[in-house]
Amino acid sequence: MAGGRGGSVGAMPEPLVPSTGLGVLHLFCAVAPLTDRAAVEAAVKSAEADDLQVVPVAVLGHKADVAFMVLGKDLWRLRAFQSAVVAAGLDVVDSYVSLTELSEYAKGLPEQMAQARLYPVLPPEGKAAWCFYPMSKRRDPEQNWYALPFDERKELMMEHGAPGRKFAGRILQLITGSTGVDDWEWGVTLFAENPDDLKEVVYTMRFDKASTEYAEFGAFTTGAVGTLAEVLDAVGVTG
Amino acid sequence: MAGGRGGSVGAMPEPLVPSTGLGVLHLFCAVAPLTDRAAVEAAVKSAEADDLQVVPVAVLGHKADVAFMVLGKDLWRLRAFQSAVVAAGLDVVDSYVSLTELSEYAKGLPEQMAQARLYPVLPPEGKAAWCFYPMSKRRDPEQNWYALPFDERKELMMEHGAPGRKFAGRILQLITGSTGVDDWEWGVTLFAENPDDLKEVVYTMRFDKASTEYAEFGAFTTGAVGTLAEVLDAVGVTG
Amino acid sequence: MAGGRGGSVGAMPEPLVPSTGLGVLHLFCAVAPLTDRAAVEAAVKSAEADDLQVVPVAVLGHKADVAFMVLGKDLWRLRAFQSAVVAAGLDVVDSYVSLTELSEYAKGLPEQMAQARLYPVLPPEGKAAWCFYPMSKRRDPEQNWYALPFDERKELMMEHGAPGRKFAGRILQLITGSTGVDDWEWGVTLFAENPDDLKEVVYTMRFDKASTEYAEFGAFTTGAVGTLAEVLDAVGVTG
Amino acid sequence: MAGGRGGSVGAMPEPLVPSTGLGVLHLFCAVAPLTDRAAVEAAVKSAEADDLQVVPVAVLGHKADVAFMVLGKDLWRLRAFQSAVVAAGLDVVDSYVSLTELSEYAKGLPEQMAQARLYPVLPPEGKAAWCFYPMSKRRDPEQNWYALPFDERKELMMEHGAPGRKFAGRILQLITGSTGVDDWEWGVTLFAENPDDLKEVVYTMRFDKASTEYAEFGAFTTGAVGTLAEVLDAVGVTG
Amino acid sequence: MAGGRGGSVGAMPEPLVPSTGLGVLHLFCAVAPLTDRAAVEAAVKSAEADDLQVVPVAVLGHKADVAFMVLGKDLWRLRAFQSAVVAAGLDVVDSYVSLTELSEYAKGLPEQMAQARLYPVLPPEGKAAWCFYPMSKRRDPEQNWYALPFDERKELMMEHGAPGRKFAGRILQLITGSTGVDDWEWGVTLFAENPDDLKEVVYTMRFDKASTEYAEFGAFTTGAVGTLAEVLDAVGVTG
């Protein structure tokens, strides 16, 4: 399986790219007895050389050992990174597929903020506490987000953003869209200074009407962002 | 296991075919250490020689590596393709069974459009972004699709089709019926030019009353359609 | 494991039999590298010699490769068949336990029809399209089947039977009871001439009030009924 | 792993026992290629010598091969039995942890009946049909058992017991408490003369208001109680 | 994989610590054929030398064999313990990530009690019966905890604490926060004298309005706290 991964890049099919923004692939991997540290390092280096961003995370608990949050334009190239990671002996045990986006409530955003959402540069400095969770808006007969008029949804989203702004210096939040491409409608990635910031910001927002009445959450995965070497050390992938 | 798959085709039982339309089998496969590229290629070639259509997809994320969307008349022949794929060393980790159909709301459709639904020719040109998801209509006490009169259902379906028509050039949507044959009532396969078209069309339709109030969705699987060689390359099945 | 399965039949414990009707065991099996075709054939032959009925089905998709629907009086004998199948190298990946029954709504049924429900002879001729699904009646606060008076339930069941009768020549439906013995309240096995009959009959019945408002469905498994040889050929168990 | 299990019993920690009644451990086990019949027999013998009751059951279907229902005072001793069974090569694939109890509705029960609930002697004679299922009381906004006053709950429980009494000769029912110790609030174990008694009693009780409106059920596992030798024979663990 | 775990501690990344309180990692582990008792003992000893608290538990039933409840400041160090346990041959089959906290309803708590919640010393003496479960507050349209005003929530929490106080001598309860870091909003760990105390306290609290109407519970795992040697003996990890 695999082998000359790097060498075959030149032969890849015509790029499959979003019309704006980036593809985002969260890969949650388990270390296995034959995981090859040098091959993992080579896979990341080759991806970065090819204009992908790769954020490595040491995950706490049974859900995974290493997470890679990978961003790039071409879906074929994202898939090539996944195949290289598997060829290096990691098992991909979970994942999330999404795309960066400007939400319909963020139309008038200043250009710089819009760019930061469509083309984020990750990871941020000094924010090693990390979590990821997917979410959808509720469609219950009595509380149906999609049955609300646009103005009401926009107002709820503005209110919802307020506590986020309160945490602005301590938290970087990236919301990527996944309606139609994965099981939930959005993926949320948080980077924070301290682990309890993750808890505090999500707990605080749970009292916003947009969350209280209209949000459904998937599984939460938590870990520590580091250099690739730090992360591989932490999860026991020795040289 | 298996071995003379091809040679035994002549001995297959009496064909088991739908009275109109085609059987559709979505096979989601994981690559394994012993996956044999030549055997996968032979399985696809043999199926195509036998009047099956086979669409290969490189899947993003942990759900699968390769998806095959297979269409054909005879269920025994569809199953033979599955067995050949397994004999080639792929693990079938998920699947969906459905049948092409003309819905009850599409009775007066022009013959050519009816034929395109019952006997589609796949994959479409220039639409390499792909996703599949199953769905059902809701049967909640307060929002029960099956308790609505036909005319109301028909009207909701017409409205629901409108955004689809807006995306017509960029998206090919194939809805196949699975009530009674798999866990959801329909399977939806989308082919798009860009990955964000998949997201935009599904997000847009979520505001149609037919989706907002009456749709339940299963898991979404996303990938890139290519030639079999491109797909096998991308997922690391080398020669 | 196992070995002299057949030889130990004489030493089996006192039969454990329903006071009327038959035990029914649906076994969903995956083929494994060491599956032994001759041993599978011997297990079926031994069961049939011992008054069990065994219906083999080639299953489509990942849920299983082969299904055996087995009917017989003695639960110990049904279990012995399961053990023999495992000893032959098949993995039992799913199953359903039920009992034939005359429902409380079928008290005055003509003797011949009652016998056909309690002691069915399977498989029917010329109906190779097969599916199985379990179901329960809903117990929601607003739609609670068990809170309805008997007469209302009976009337709903009569109405529910009507479309079934419309399909009578093309479909054989066997409903077996599983309240208290498996996770759902009934198991439904359908045999049809064409695969789309399965879809049409289940879709049509979904508009009956008994289904629309009161039915909950489990997973649907679909396949093709054949001779044991045809089924083993189709799923790649060669001699 | 393990080895001198029996010899280390003397060194076990201070007993961990309920203040009244017994600990109950339902272990659902799968036979594996290296299952050692003699070691299973020794594990059961050693447990019985140590004042545990062990009821072996041959399970029908994929959920397990053998179930052991084990009752005893000391949780450390129950765990030791589990470890011995694993050391004998069985895989523990499911389980249920509970405690015998006198419910709050059974305060004035005659001493003998109270003892039979707290210190049951199992299995009963001539009742080889067996099933187990866990259950909880519903806490829906509209039907919330825990929001009812004690007297109303007591009345519903008395009514609920009535059909049980109708089946008294044919069924032995043991309800053990698991709130706080396993995923559901109670475990229900039934022993019956005929397999259809299991179905009839559970179906009949489903029409009691306590079940109709307030019960939620987990998975049902069914099998045949026998001697250890009969059970091991039935599931293919040969000497 | 791993190997010189201990030796690499000096090279660990900058500590990632909560601004107050401790990180808490519940690791649920299965024993495997190659589990190395000495390596497990060394992992625990090394963690304790490094200011982690490690509580070992022998788990009853299939969910796990050994649980480690681990508390410490630095998430990297908690992850290092997990990696050391895996390197010792245990499989981490489940886990829970949380943080000690003072809830918003406990602001005026005496300093000593506040410290006991933020920096607990575990395990308590003479309380070997143990269980863990996660929970969240309900967000149903009709019963939505997060839509209640603070004063009403505080009053419900005070009432909810009352039965807990009744059990004060027999039960130690530690509630840790996990909103944003794991799948539920809180983790609850109970230590009790007798196993039936676990059942009685949770059953009693289920009648508090805060639980009856607003609590959702995850899976409950039960076991016996002991010394590491007692626990490893009990689950069959011999020297």
PDB file of all heavy atoms in Angstrom, chain E residues 57-69:
ATOM      1  N   VAL E  57      -9.042   1.589  39.734  1.00  0.00           N
ATOM      2  CA  VAL E  57     -10.339   0.960  40.005  1.00  0.00           C
ATOM      3  C   VAL E  57     -10.447  -0.333  39.197  1.00  0.00           C
ATOM      4  O   VAL E  57     -10.138  -0.336  38.002  1.00  0.00           O
ATOM      5  CB  VAL E  57     -11.497   1.898  39.585  1.00  0.00           C
ATOM      6  CG1 VAL E  57     -12.848   1.287  39.934  1.00  0.00           C
ATOM      7  CG2 VAL E  57     -11.352   3.283  40.216  1.00  0.00           C
ATOM      8  N   ALA E  58     -10.902  -1.410  39.850  1.00  0.00           N
ATOM      9  CA  ALA E  58     -11.230  -2.654  39.131  1.00  0.00           C
ATOM     10  C   ALA E  58     -12.682  -2.551  38.681  1.00  0.00           C
ATOM     11  O   ALA E  58     -13.592  -2.489  39.504  1.00  0.00           O
ATOM     12  CB  ALA E  58     -11.037  -3.864  40.041  1.00  0.00           C
ATOM     13  N   VAL E  59     -12.885  -2.503  37.374  1.00  0.00           N
ATOM     14  CA  VAL E  59     -14.222  -2.261  36.821  1.00  0.00           C
ATOM     15  C   VAL E  59     -14.982  -3.577  36.673  1.00  0.00           C
ATOM     16  O   VAL E  59     -14.412  -4.590  36.279  1.00  0.00           O
ATOM     17  CB  VAL E  59     -14.107  -1.542  35.456  1.00  0.00           C
ATOM     18  CG1 VAL E  59     -15.465  -1.409  34.788  1.00  0.00           C
ATOM     19  CG2 VAL E  59     -13.459  -0.177  35.641  1.00  0.00           C
ATOM     20  N   LEU E  60     -16.269  -3.563  36.966  1.00  0.00           N
ATOM     21  CA  LEU E  60     -17.140  -4.725  36.768  1.00  0.00           C
ATOM     22  C   LEU E  60     -17.741  -4.698  35.371  1.00  0.00           C
ATOM     23  O   LEU E  60     -18.278  -3.668  34.945  1.00  0.00           O
ATOM     24  CB  LEU E  60     -18.285  -4.703  37.777  1.00  0.00           C
ATOM     25  CG  LEU E  60     -17.968  -5.225  39.170  1.00  0.00           C
ATOM     26  CD1 LEU E  60     -19.119  -4.907  40.108  1.00  0.00           C
ATOM     27  CD2 LEU E  60     -17.719  -6.733  39.139  1.00  0.00           C
ATOM     28  N   GLY E  61     -17.715  -5.835  34.680  1.00  0.00           N
ATOM     29  CA  GLY E  61     -18.405  -5.945  33.400  1.00  0.00           C
ATOM     30  C   GLY E  61     -17.540  -5.620  32.207  1.00  0.00           C
ATOM     31  O   GLY E  61     -16.331  -5.398  32.324  1.00  0.00           O
ATOM     32  N   HIS E  62     -18.183  -5.581  31.034  1.00  0.00           N
ATOM     33  CA  HIS E  62     -17.455  -5.547  29.768  1.00  0.00           C
ATOM     34  C   HIS E  62     -16.899  -4.176  29.421  1.00  0.00           C
ATOM     35  O   HIS E  62     -16.113  -4.050  28.477  1.00  0.00           O
ATOM     36  CB  HIS E  62     -18.388  -5.975  28.633  1.00  0.00           C
ATOM     37  CG  HIS E  62     -19.354  -4.893  28.254  1.00  0.00           C
ATOM     38  ND1 HIS E  62     -20.373  -4.480  29.085  1.00  0.00           N
ATOM     39  CD2 HIS E  62     -19.445  -4.123  27.154  1.00  0.00           C
ATOM     40  CE1 HIS E  62     -21.054  -3.519  28.509  1.00  0.00           C
ATOM     41  NE2 HIS E  62     -20.531  -3.278  27.342  1.00  0.00           N
ATOM     42  N   LYS E  63     -17.297  -3.128  30.126  1.00  0.00           N
ATOM     43  CA  LYS E  63     -16.917  -1.793  29.666  1.00  0.00           C
ATOM     44  C   LYS E  63     -15.414  -1.545  29.783  1.00  0.00           C
ATOM     45  O   LYS E  63     -14.857  -0.766  29.003  1.00  0.00           O
ATOM     46  CB  LYS E  63     -17.690  -0.737  30.452  1.00  0.00           C
ATOM     47  CG  LYS E  63     -19.167  -0.675  30.071  1.00  0.00           C
ATOM     48  CD  LYS E  63     -19.914   0.305  30.963  1.00  0.00           C
ATOM     49  CE  LYS E  63     -21.408   0.293  30.648  1.00  0.00           C
ATOM     50  NZ  LYS E  63     -22.202   0.891  31.757  1.00  0.00           N
ATOM     51  N   ALA E  64     -14.781  -2.156  30.757  1.00  0.00           N
ATOM     52  CA  ALA E  64     -13.337  -2.005  30.939  1.00  0.00           C
ATOM     53  C   ALA E  64     -12.897  -3.006  31.995  1.00  0.00           C
ATOM     54  O   ALA E  64     -13.723  -3.629  32.674  1.00  0.00           O
ATOM     55  CB  ALA E  64     -12.989  -0.592  31.398  1.00  0.00           C
ATOM     56  N   ASP E  65     -11.579  -3.134  32.143  1.00  0.00           N
ATOM     57  CA  ASP E  65     -11.031  -3.926  33.246  1.00  0.00           C
ATOM     58  C   ASP E  65     -10.534  -3.003  34.356  1.00  0.00           C
ATOM     59  O   ASP E  65     -10.912  -3.152  35.506  1.00  0.00           O
ATOM     60  CB  ASP E  65      -9.905  -4.838  32.723  1.00  0.00           C
ATOM     61  CG  ASP E  65     -10.433  -5.927  31.804  1.00  0.00           C
ATOM     62  OD1 ASP E  65     -11.345  -6.658  32.215  1.00  0.00           O
ATOM     63  OD2 ASP E  65      -9.956  -6.026  30.661  1.00  0.00           O
ATOM     64  N   VAL E  66      -9.705  -2.052  33.982  1.00  0.00           N
ATOM     65  CA  VAL E  66      -9.143  -1.111  34.948  1.00  0.00           C
ATOM     66  C   VAL E  66      -9.542   0.299  34.550  1.00  0.00           C
ATOM     67  O   VAL E  66      -9.497   0.648  33.363  1.00  0.00           O
ATOM     68  CB  VAL E  66      -7.593  -1.140  34.929  1.00  0.00           C
ATOM     69  CG1 VAL E  66      -7.028  -0.299  36.077  1.00  0.00           C
ATOM     70  CG2 VAL E  66      -7.080  -2.555  34.992  1.00  0.00           C
ATOM     71  N   ALA E  67      -9.923   1.108  35.532  1.00  0.00           N
ATOM     72  CA  ALA E  67     -10.070   2.543  35.295  1.00  0.00           C
ATOM     73  C   ALA E  67      -9.003   3.266  36.102  1.00  0.00           C
ATOM     74  O   ALA E  67      -8.701   2.880  37.235  1.00  0.00           O
ATOM     75  CB  ALA E  67     -11.452   3.025  35.709  1.00  0.00           C
ATOM     76  N   PHE E  68      -8.412   4.286  35.491  1.00  0.00           N
ATOM     77  CA  PHE E  68      -7.541   5.206  36.219  1.00  0.00           C
ATOM     78  C   PHE E  68      -8.196   6.581  36.194  1.00  0.00           C
ATOM     79  O   PHE E  68      -8.466   7.124  35.119  1.00  0.00           O
ATOM     80  CB  PHE E  68      -6.158   5.309  35.557  1.00  0.00           C
ATOM     81  CG  PHE E  68      -5.354   4.048  35.592  1.00  0.00           C
ATOM     82  CD1 PHE E  68      -5.156   3.293  34.438  1.00  0.00           C
ATOM     83  CD2 PHE E  68      -4.794   3.602  36.777  1.00  0.00           C
ATOM     84  CE1 PHE E  68      -4.409   2.126  34.469  1.00  0.00           C
ATOM     85  CE2 PHE E  68      -4.045   2.431  36.824  1.00  0.00           C
ATOM     86  CZ  PHE E  68      -3.857   1.682  35.666  1.00  0.00           C
ATOM     87  N   MET E  69      -8.451   7.115  37.387  1.00  0.00           N
ATOM     88  CA  MET E  69      -8.889   8.506  37.459  1.00  0.00           C
ATOM     89  C   MET E  69      -7.639   9.304  37.811  1.00  0.00           C
ATOM     90  O   MET E  69      -7.039   9.086  38.869  1.00  0.00           O
ATOM     91  CB  MET E  69      -9.946   8.639  38.549  1.00  0.00           C
ATOM     92  CG  MET E  69     -10.494  10.039  38.694  1.00  0.00           C
ATOM     93  SD  MET E  69     -11.660  10.122  40.107  1.00  0.00           S
ATOM     94  CE  MET E  69     -12.217  11.823  39.920  1.00  0.00           C
TER      95      MET E  69
END
